[in-house]
Amino acid sequence: EAGVAQSPRYKIIEKRQSVAFWCNPISGHATLYWYQQILGQGPKLLIQFQNNGVVDDSQLPKDRFSAERLKGVDSTLKIQPAKLEDSAVYLCASSPSGTANTEAFFGQGTRLTVV
Amino acid sequence: GDSVTQMEGPVTLSEEAFLTINCTYTATGYPSLFWYVQYPGEGLQLLLKATKADDKGSNKGFEATYRKETTSFHLEKGSVQVSDSAVYFCALMVGGTSYGKLTFGQGTILTVHP
């Protein structure tokens, strides 16, 4: 079974530029998550989708971050404009149903460096 | 709000030593508890989980017991190997309208020397 795919693996941009990350979840998984992992910290949820609807985006900085999940499958996360403090690893995860006992499967992440 | 606190790291051990990584949590309701592991260059992987008080999760020689009275979920292994070198994350998940949101601790780096 193919895992969660993310691209690119690495990205370096200058502050105030824009960037987009792509995620392809495990086939059939209804729930998709984007997490931000700053160096030395645990992952923090940015946004959670159930199919193509947003369940939780309370921690998403909506003035600069946006995300969409078209047709309930792939998802993109965009940052515009980027700030230095956005340097982090962006993790995508998916799970079959998103209930409390369901395992989430993570991709390898995209490491973003903002200079 | 919900939170997870892990012991300060990094942790450095010799092969075959006993491992304990402490984890305590604060949560509304009754969370499920997880340990995730991140090997160098790889994504986060579920190591083990427990969904109710007194449950013991186990996998690959690692164990953790859900202790409601002390709000803890400490990770243990009797004899570590070099291949266990990784970053370990304790996490909780509260059900209901949170739809499976994971709240992570800050992670503990484990290095095992031959």
PDB file of all heavy atoms in Angstrom, chain B residues 88-109:
ATOM      1  N   TYR B  88      11.412  10.428  19.550  1.00  0.00           N
ATOM      2  CA  TYR B  88      10.173   9.834  20.039  1.00  0.00           C
ATOM      3  C   TYR B  88       9.213  10.933  20.500  1.00  0.00           C
ATOM      4  O   TYR B  88       9.598  11.822  21.261  1.00  0.00           O
ATOM      5  CB  TYR B  88      10.473   8.868  21.190  1.00  0.00           C
ATOM      6  CG  TYR B  88      11.235   7.650  20.715  1.00  0.00           C
ATOM      7  CD1 TYR B  88      12.614   7.707  20.526  1.00  0.00           C
ATOM      8  CD2 TYR B  88      10.576   6.460  20.416  1.00  0.00           C
ATOM      9  CE1 TYR B  88      13.321   6.608  20.050  1.00  0.00           C
ATOM     10  CE2 TYR B  88      11.273   5.352  19.941  1.00  0.00           C
ATOM     11  CZ  TYR B  88      12.636   5.441  19.762  1.00  0.00           C
ATOM     12  OH  TYR B  88      13.323   4.345  19.292  1.00  0.00           O
ATOM     13  N   PHE B  89       7.970  10.828  20.028  1.00  0.00           N
ATOM     14  CA  PHE B  89       6.953  11.827  20.351  1.00  0.00           C
ATOM     15  C   PHE B  89       5.786  11.163  21.066  1.00  0.00           C
ATOM     16  O   PHE B  89       5.225  10.185  20.564  1.00  0.00           O
ATOM     17  CB  PHE B  89       6.406  12.501  19.096  1.00  0.00           C
ATOM     18  CG  PHE B  89       7.386  13.364  18.371  1.00  0.00           C
ATOM     19  CD1 PHE B  89       8.170  12.850  17.344  1.00  0.00           C
ATOM     20  CD2 PHE B  89       7.522  14.709  18.692  1.00  0.00           C
ATOM     21  CE1 PHE B  89       9.072  13.650  16.666  1.00  0.00           C
ATOM     22  CE2 PHE B  89       8.420  15.524  18.016  1.00  0.00           C
ATOM     23  CZ  PHE B  89       9.197  14.997  17.009  1.00  0.00           C
ATOM     24  N   CYS B  90       5.418  11.714  22.206  1.00  0.00           N
ATOM     25  CA  CYS B  90       4.195  11.314  22.889  1.00  0.00           C
ATOM     26  C   CYS B  90       3.070  12.216  22.376  1.00  0.00           C
ATOM     27  O   CYS B  90       3.289  13.409  22.117  1.00  0.00           O
ATOM     28  CB  CYS B  90       4.386  11.490  24.392  1.00  0.00           C
ATOM     29  SG  CYS B  90       3.021  10.910  25.406  1.00  0.00           S
ATOM     30  N   ALA B  91       1.878  11.654  22.240  1.00  0.00           N
ATOM     31  CA  ALA B  91       0.770  12.440  21.699  1.00  0.00           C
ATOM     32  C   ALA B  91      -0.545  11.968  22.287  1.00  0.00           C
ATOM     33  O   ALA B  91      -0.667  10.830  22.742  1.00  0.00           O
ATOM     34  CB  ALA B  91       0.731  12.334  20.171  1.00  0.00           C
ATOM     35  N   LEU B  92      -1.522  12.851  22.258  1.00  0.00           N
ATOM     36  CA  LEU B  92      -2.863  12.473  22.689  1.00  0.00           C
ATOM     37  C   LEU B  92      -3.875  12.875  21.632  1.00  0.00           C
ATOM     38  O   LEU B  92      -3.631  13.752  20.809  1.00  0.00           O
ATOM     39  CB  LEU B  92      -3.219  13.089  24.045  1.00  0.00           C
ATOM     40  CG  LEU B  92      -3.348  14.609  24.186  1.00  0.00           C
ATOM     41  CD1 LEU B  92      -4.720  15.104  23.733  1.00  0.00           C
ATOM     42  CD2 LEU B  92      -3.166  14.996  25.654  1.00  0.00           C
ATOM     43  N   MET B  93      -4.999  12.198  21.680  1.00  0.00           N
ATOM     44  CA  MET B  93      -6.085  12.491  20.765  1.00  0.00           C
ATOM     45  C   MET B  93      -7.380  12.449  21.559  1.00  0.00           C
ATOM     46  O   MET B  93      -7.661  11.448  22.225  1.00  0.00           O
ATOM     47  CB  MET B  93      -6.120  11.473  19.622  1.00  0.00           C
ATOM     48  CG  MET B  93      -7.198  11.724  18.599  1.00  0.00           C
ATOM     49  SD  MET B  93      -7.303  10.376  17.383  1.00  0.00           S
ATOM     50  CE  MET B  93      -5.786  10.591  16.475  1.00  0.00           C
ATOM     51  N   VAL B  94      -8.144  13.518  21.482  1.00  0.00           N
ATOM     52  CA  VAL B  94      -9.440  13.579  22.133  1.00  0.00           C
ATOM     53  C   VAL B  94     -10.505  13.422  21.073  1.00  0.00           C
ATOM     54  O   VAL B  94     -10.416  14.021  20.005  1.00  0.00           O
ATOM     55  CB  VAL B  94      -9.616  14.910  22.892  1.00  0.00           C
ATOM     56  CG1 VAL B  94     -10.975  14.966  23.555  1.00  0.00           C
ATOM     57  CG2 VAL B  94      -8.524  15.076  23.927  1.00  0.00           C
ATOM     58  N   GLY B  95     -11.499  12.634  21.344  1.00  0.00           N
ATOM     59  CA  GLY B  95     -12.522  12.367  20.353  1.00  0.00           C
ATOM     60  C   GLY B  95     -13.560  13.460  20.290  1.00  0.00           C
ATOM     61  O   GLY B  95     -13.279  14.619  20.585  1.00  0.00           O
ATOM     62  N   GLY B  96     -14.757  13.103  19.910  1.00  0.00           N
ATOM     63  CA  GLY B  96     -15.837  14.067  19.784  1.00  0.00           C
ATOM     64  C   GLY B  96     -15.634  14.944  18.568  1.00  0.00           C
ATOM     65  O   GLY B  96     -15.213  14.477  17.511  1.00  0.00           O
ATOM     66  N   THR B  97     -15.866  16.219  18.702  1.00  0.00           N
ATOM     67  CA  THR B  97     -15.807  17.114  17.552  1.00  0.00           C
ATOM     68  C   THR B  97     -14.392  17.380  17.073  1.00  0.00           C
ATOM     69  O   THR B  97     -14.201  18.004  16.033  1.00  0.00           O
ATOM     70  CB  THR B  97     -16.479  18.450  17.879  1.00  0.00           C
ATOM     71  OG1 THR B  97     -15.828  19.024  19.018  1.00  0.00           O
ATOM     72  CG2 THR B  97     -17.953  18.254  18.198  1.00  0.00           C
ATOM     73  N   SER B  98     -13.374  16.941  17.830  1.00  0.00           N
ATOM     74  CA  SER B  98     -11.986  17.149  17.388  1.00  0.00           C
ATOM     75  C   SER B  98     -11.618  16.248  16.226  1.00  0.00           C
ATOM     76  O   SER B  98     -10.575  16.430  15.618  1.00  0.00           O
ATOM     77  CB  SER B  98     -11.021  16.901  18.541  1.00  0.00           C
ATOM     78  OG  SER B  98     -11.223  17.804  19.581  1.00  0.00           O
ATOM     79  N   TYR B  99     -12.435  15.235  15.940  1.00  0.00           N
ATOM     80  CA  TYR B  99     -12.229  14.381  14.774  1.00  0.00           C
ATOM     81  C   TYR B  99     -10.803  13.873  14.644  1.00  0.00           C
ATOM     82  O   TYR B  99     -10.246  13.862  13.551  1.00  0.00           O
ATOM     83  CB  TYR B  99     -12.606  15.118  13.489  1.00  0.00           C
ATOM     84  CG  TYR B  99     -14.080  15.143  13.208  1.00  0.00           C
ATOM     85  CD1 TYR B  99     -14.846  16.225  13.628  1.00  0.00           C
ATOM     86  CD2 TYR B  99     -14.710  14.101  12.535  1.00  0.00           C
ATOM     87  CE1 TYR B  99     -16.203  16.267  13.379  1.00  0.00           C
ATOM     88  CE2 TYR B  99     -16.068  14.137  12.288  1.00  0.00           C
ATOM     89  CZ  TYR B  99     -16.804  15.222  12.703  1.00  0.00           C
ATOM     90  OH  TYR B  99     -18.138  15.266  12.445  1.00  0.00           O
ATOM     91  N   GLY B 100     -10.196  13.476  15.725  1.00  0.00           N
ATOM     92  CA  GLY B 100      -8.916  12.817  15.613  1.00  0.00           C
ATOM     93  C   GLY B 100      -7.715  13.722  15.583  1.00  0.00           C
ATOM     94  O   GLY B 100      -6.646  13.306  15.145  1.00  0.00           O
ATOM     95  N   LYS B 101      -7.809  14.930  16.067  1.00  0.00           N
ATOM     96  CA  LYS B 101      -6.660  15.831  16.120  1.00  0.00           C
ATOM     97  C   LYS B 101      -5.639  15.320  17.128  1.00  0.00           C
ATOM     98  O   LYS B 101      -5.971  14.998  18.258  1.00  0.00           O
ATOM     99  CB  LYS B 101      -7.117  17.232  16.541  1.00  0.00           C
ATOM    100  CG  LYS B 101      -5.995  18.181  16.919  1.00  0.00           C
ATOM    101  CD  LYS B 101      -6.559  19.461  17.514  1.00  0.00           C
ATOM    102  CE  LYS B 101      -5.461  20.346  18.071  1.00  0.00           C
ATOM    103  NZ  LYS B 101      -6.029  21.581  18.690  1.00  0.00           N
ATOM    104  N   LEU B 102      -4.356  15.248  16.717  1.00  0.00           N
ATOM    105  CA  LEU B 102      -3.263  14.839  17.596  1.00  0.00           C
ATOM    106  C   LEU B 102      -2.587  16.064  18.211  1.00  0.00           C
ATOM    107  O   LEU B 102      -2.266  17.012  17.503  1.00  0.00           O
ATOM    108  CB  LEU B 102      -2.223  14.042  16.815  1.00  0.00           C
ATOM    109  CG  LEU B 102      -2.565  12.586  16.487  1.00  0.00           C
ATOM    110  CD1 LEU B 102      -1.647  12.063  15.392  1.00  0.00           C
ATOM    111  CD2 LEU B 102      -2.456  11.709  17.727  1.00  0.00           C
ATOM    112  N   THR B 103      -2.359  16.013  19.523  1.00  0.00           N
ATOM    113  CA  THR B 103      -1.562  17.016  20.214  1.00  0.00           C
ATOM    114  C   THR B 103      -0.279  16.347  20.659  1.00  0.00           C
ATOM    115  O   THR B 103      -0.318  15.349  21.387  1.00  0.00           O
ATOM    116  CB  THR B 103      -2.321  17.586  21.433  1.00  0.00           C
ATOM    117  OG1 THR B 103      -3.519  18.205  20.988  1.00  0.00           O
ATOM    118  CG2 THR B 103      -1.465  18.596  22.169  1.00  0.00           C
ATOM    119  N   PHE B 104       0.868  16.874  20.216  1.00  0.00           N
ATOM    120  CA  PHE B 104       2.163  16.240  20.437  1.00  0.00           C
ATOM    121  C   PHE B 104       2.956  16.918  21.554  1.00  0.00           C
ATOM    122  O   PHE B 104       2.832  18.134  21.780  1.00  0.00           O
ATOM    123  CB  PHE B 104       3.016  16.327  19.165  1.00  0.00           C
ATOM    124  CG  PHE B 104       2.584  15.408  18.065  1.00  0.00           C
ATOM    125  CD1 PHE B 104       1.647  15.817  17.136  1.00  0.00           C
ATOM    126  CD2 PHE B 104       3.133  14.134  17.945  1.00  0.00           C
ATOM    127  CE1 PHE B 104       1.250  14.978  16.107  1.00  0.00           C
ATOM    128  CE2 PHE B 104       2.746  13.285  16.920  1.00  0.00           C
ATOM    129  CZ  PHE B 104       1.799  13.711  15.999  1.00  0.00           C
ATOM    130  N   GLY B 105       3.816  16.131  22.204  1.00  0.00           N
ATOM    131  CA  GLY B 105       4.865  16.681  23.038  1.00  0.00           C
ATOM    132  C   GLY B 105       6.000  17.185  22.169  1.00  0.00           C
ATOM    133  O   GLY B 105       5.958  17.093  20.937  1.00  0.00           O
ATOM    134  N   GLN B 106       7.047  17.683  22.810  1.00  0.00           N
ATOM    135  CA  GLN B 106       8.126  18.338  22.055  1.00  0.00           C
ATOM    136  C   GLN B 106       9.117  17.364  21.460  1.00  0.00           C
ATOM    137  O   GLN B 106       9.970  17.756  20.668  1.00  0.00           O
ATOM    138  CB  GLN B 106       8.859  19.360  22.944  1.00  0.00           C
ATOM    139  CG  GLN B 106       9.758  18.739  24.014  1.00  0.00           C
ATOM    140  CD  GLN B 106       9.022  18.499  25.315  1.00  0.00           C
ATOM    141  OE1 GLN B 106       7.830  18.199  25.339  1.00  0.00           O
ATOM    142  NE2 GLN B 106       9.750  18.628  26.420  1.00  0.00           N
ATOM    143  N   GLY B 107       9.005  16.087  21.800  1.00  0.00           N
ATOM    144  CA  GLY B 107       9.910  15.084  21.248  1.00  0.00           C
ATOM    145  C   GLY B 107      11.148  14.880  22.120  1.00  0.00           C
ATOM    146  O   GLY B 107      11.628  15.802  22.779  1.00  0.00           O
ATOM    147  N   THR B 108      11.640  13.650  22.112  1.00  0.00           N
ATOM    148  CA  THR B 108      12.860  13.287  22.843  1.00  0.00           C
ATOM    149  C   THR B 108      13.790  12.570  21.888  1.00  0.00           C
ATOM    150  O   THR B 108      13.410  11.563  21.279  1.00  0.00           O
ATOM    151  CB  THR B 108      12.540  12.365  24.033  1.00  0.00           C
ATOM    152  OG1 THR B 108      11.648  13.032  24.924  1.00  0.00           O
ATOM    153  CG2 THR B 108      13.826  11.977  24.776  1.00  0.00           C
ATOM    154  N   ILE B 109      15.000  13.117  21.736  1.00  0.00           N
ATOM    155  CA  ILE B 109      15.999  12.496  20.858  1.00  0.00           C
ATOM    156  C   ILE B 109      16.709  11.392  21.629  1.00  0.00           C
ATOM    157  O   ILE B 109      17.256  11.633  22.697  1.00  0.00           O
ATOM    158  CB  ILE B 109      17.023  13.536  20.374  1.00  0.00           C
ATOM    159  CG1 ILE B 109      16.326  14.654  19.593  1.00  0.00           C
ATOM    160  CG2 ILE B 109      18.087  12.872  19.502  1.00  0.00           C
ATOM    161  CD1 ILE B 109      17.243  15.821  19.250  1.00  0.00           C
TER     162      ILE B 109
END
